[in-house]
Amino acid sequence: MRTTVLIVDDHPSFRRLARRLFEEAGFTVVGEAGDGRSAVASVLALKPDLVLLDVMLPDGSGIELADRLPPSTAVLLVSSRSADDLAIGSRRFMRKDELTLDRLRAVAAGAGE
Amino acid sequence: MTPRARLAWFVLLVAGPAFVVFGELGFWLNGIAPRETFPLDLGVSSLAIASGLVLWRLRPENRTGLLLGVAGILWTIGGIRAYRNAWAFGVGQCFDGSQDLVLAHLLIAYPSGRLGHRSLRVLVTAGYGLFVVGVLETITMDLPRRVNAFAVWHAPALHGTLSTIGSVGAGMYATTGIAIIGRRWLRAGYSRRRVLGPVLLAALFFALAVAVDEVVQAIVGSEPGIVFFPPLVARLLIPVAFLFGLARSRLDRLVVGDLVLELDASGAGTMQAALARALHDPGLQVGYRLDDRDEFVDSEGEPLVLPVEDADHAITYVGRGDAQLAAIVHERALLEQPSLIEAVSAAVGLALDNERLHAQLRNQLQVLRASRARLVRTADSERRRLERDLHDGAQQRLLALGLALNMLRARVEDAESAQLLAEAEEELATAVSELRELARGIHPAILTDQGLAAAARTLASRSAVPVEVVVNGGRFPPAVETAGYYVIAEALANVMRYAHAGRARIEIREAAGLALIEVSDDGVGGADSRRGTGLAGLADRVGALDGRLVVESAAGTGTTVRAEIPCA
C-alpha cells in the first residue's frame, strides 16, 4: 500500500513540482494546502500518512503547526532556509533543495517495508 | 494715575482725616455709642481710609483702594448723628451702616476691584438698595423733626417693617457673600489662594459677623448700651488684610534678587522650578522658543504645546527687544500682580536666554537621535524586506528549477545528458546555498521568527569555540533584538578571529528597563573598540537606540562586550 502524502506550502509552483516528485517516487499525494488553517482541515479530513510541511506559512509557523497535528500523522518539515536558522529542535527536517527523487524513493521503500 | 484720579486721591487724603476727627470724636463725645468701642471705631475708619489711600496710590488701576477709602469715610459719617442737630442726625442716620455695603462691594470685587460678571453687578446693585431702605427708615422714624430733620412721615408700623427688611436683606447679602467667597476659594489655584487668602479670611469673618449680628438684632432687637463686638473687629480686620496682602506682594518682589543668585548657582535646567517657587505657582511651566520657529520646547528640549489661555491659566511671553525668548504658563491669578511678573521676567532675562539655548541644543540633540534611530529602523526594515523578497522570489524559483532538473535527470537515458544535468543540479545547489547565506547575512530570519535567544543559540552553534548561552527573559522590541544580534555576531566573530579563547559565553537578560546583551571570552584580551569599524559601527547602532556599548578587554583577562539598550 502506497504511503499517502499531504503537501503544505504557500508557493503553488513548489506544490506542483513536489506533487510530481512524490508521485514519481512512489507516494500517493492525497491533497495540497496553501496555509496552516486549510492544512489542519485537510489532515483531519484526509488522514494522510505523511505531511510535507513548509516551516514558514502565511498564517503562522509550520513548526508550531506540526506540534498541534495528531501524533499518528508523520510530519516532514521543509524550508529553503537551513535548520540552523529555524530552531527546528528534534523534529524531522529537510531543506527543500535536498528533496530529490533518490532520497524520496529510499523513504518510500522504507515506509513500504 | 490720571490727573483726575490724582486730584480725587488728594481730596481723600485731606478729607479723610477731617471726617475721622469730625465723625468719630462727635460720636464718642456725645455718648451715642459706648466709650469702650471708641478705639475700635476710630481704628476702623482711620485704617480703612489710610489703607485705601495707600492701595489706591500703588495700584491706581484697581478700584480696591478707592472703595476702601470710601468705606472709611462712610463709617465716619454715621457718627455725625451724635451732634445735637436735627439735620446732622438725619444725615448720620441715613448713612449708618452704608460702609458695610461698600465693604461688601470691594470684597466681592477683590482682587481685581471690578465685578466682571453680570450676576455680581446685579447682586452688588441690590446690596446698595439696602441704603435706600435705610433712608426710608430714617424718614419714617417716630421722632420729632427737631431731633430728626428727615422724619417727615411718622409711620411706626412701616418703620418696623422697613427695619425688618433691612435686617433680613443684610443677612441674605452676607450669606450670599459667604457663598461667593467660599466658591472662589475652592476654585482658586495655589497662587490665587495665596493672594486671596488673608482678605477672603477677613471677608468670611466679616460676612459671618454681620449675618449673626443681624440675626441677633432681629431676635432680641438692638438695645442701647449692648454692643456686638465681632462686626467691629471684622471691619477692622479687612483693611489689615488688604495691607498684609500688599506687604506680602512687596516681599515677593524682594525674593527676585535671591532668584537671580539661585539661578547663577544652580546652572541649567532649574529655571522652571525656581520661577515656580518665586511666583508661588507649583504648576508653572516654561516654554523656550526655538530660533526662527514658532515652536516651544521644555528645558529637556521636548516639544511643548502651549495651552490655550483660559479662566485658570495665562501665558506671559518674555523677550529681549523684539525677540521672543520664552513663554511662562502660569495661574491667571498672577496677572493681578503684574509688577511681580515683570520684576521676575526682567531679573531672569539673561539666565532665561542661557536656558533657552540649552533647551534648544537638547532639542536638536533629540531630533538628531530620533533621526538616527529612524534611519536604523528603516535600514533594518529594508533588510527584512529584502531577505523576505529573496526567500519568496529567487530562492523559490531556483528550488522549483532544482526539483524539475532532478526529475528530468531520472528520465534521461543518455549518460552524457544525465551527466550534464547532474552538473547543472550541482551548480544550482551552489547558487541556492550562496543565496541562502546572502539572505542570512542581510537579515537572519530566525531573529524575526524566534527572537534573539534562538538566534544567539544559532550563532553559538556555528562558532568554532564552545559557547554557553544563558538567557533570562522574554523577547525585546525588534530594533533592540536586531542590534543585540549584530553585537553577538560581531563579538563571536572577534572571538574566533583574535581572542585565542578556549570558550565563550553569551548572556541575554533584562534589568531595570535595559536589555543587557553580553558576550565574554577567556581569551587574550586587548581588544580596542576604537580600532577598526566593527565595534565602532556597533556602538553607533546601539547608540541610535539610546543605548551604550561597553568593551572591557584588559590584556590577559579576556574580553567582555556588553550592550545596554533601553527596552521599556
Side-chain angles (χ1 to χ4, degrees), chain B residues 201-366:
Chain B
L201 204 64
L204 200 62
F205 184 42
F206 167 66
L208 275 172
V210 169
V212 172
D213 188 32
E214 292 297 338
V215 169
V216 170
Q217 283 196 32
I219 294 170
V220 302
S222 55
E223 289 184 28
I226 295 178
V227 179
F228 192 53
F229 276 96
L232 270 176
V233 176
R235 288 184 187 99
L236 187 69
L237 284 178
I238 288 172
V240 170
F242 278 117
L243 285 178
F244 180 79
L246 184 70
R248 184 186 248 182
S249 165
R250 297 263 141 177
L251 284 172
D252 283 346
R253 263 181 274 171
L254 291 178
V255 177
V256 171
D258 297 340
L259 173 68
V260 175
L261 290 176
E262 183 185 343
L263 286 172
D264 277 351
S266 53
T270 54
M271 174 67 71
Q272 184 166 298
L275 283 178
R277 275 196 300 278
L279 294 173
H280 304 286
D281 179 1
L284 178 144
Q285 272 187 305
V286 180
Y288 303 95
R289 193 173 187 278
L290 297 175
D291 276 342
D292 307 324
R293 273 189 284 170
D294 195 18
E295 289 173 22
F296 289 83
V297 294
D298 65 14
S299 60
E300 294 302 316
E302 294 278 359
L304 181 74
V305 179
L306 297 180
V308 178
E309 288 190 297
D310 55 20
D312 298 323
H313 296 95
I315 301 174
T316 298
Y317 291 93
V318 184
R320 191 185 54 231
D322 292 336
Q324 199 178 69
L325 300 179
I328 303 173
V329 183
H330 54 78
E331 281 186 27
R332 180 162 286 280
L334 281 171
L335 292 180
E336 285 144 16
Q337 301 180 73
S339 54
L340 176 61
I341 294 188
E342 279 168 21
V344 167
S345 302
V348 301
L350 187 61
L352 198 68
D353 203 12
N354 279 340
E355 187 101 346
R356 186 185 69 86
L357 291 172
H358 273 104
Q360 187 160 287
L361 205 61
R362 288 190 192 104
N363 176 260
Q364 286 167 351
L365 203 61
Q366 280 196 1

Side-chain angles (χ1 to χ4, degrees), chain B residues 109-175:
Chain B
Y110 187 73
S112 67
R114 293 178 191 280
L115 291 165
H117 200 271
R118 188 166 174 270
S119 60
L120 294 181
R121 289 202 296 274
V122 170
L123 176 71
V124 171
T125 305
Y128 283 121
L130 291 172
F131 174 72
V132 178
V133 174
V135 171
L136 290 174
E137 272 189 75
T138 308
I139 290 170
T140 56
M141 282 179 101
D142 188 19
L143 287 173
R145 291 197 64 189
R146 60 184 166 76
V147 177
N148 175 10
F150 285 31
V152 292
W153 184 13
H154 294 277
L158 180 60
H159 178 81
T161 305
L162 287 168
S163 181
T164 305
I165 290 172
S167 292
V168 171
M172 285 171 64
Y173 194 21
T175 309

Side-chain angles (χ1 to χ4, degrees), chain A residues 24 56 81 84-85 101, chain B residues 387-388 406 411 458 462:
Chain A
E24 281 193 27
M56 291 186 70
R81 298 185 175 111
D84 284 356
D85 292 332
L101 213 47
Chain B
E387 192 273 342
R388 186 81 208 183
N406 188 249
R411 290 177 187 182
T458 298
R462 288 199 204 113

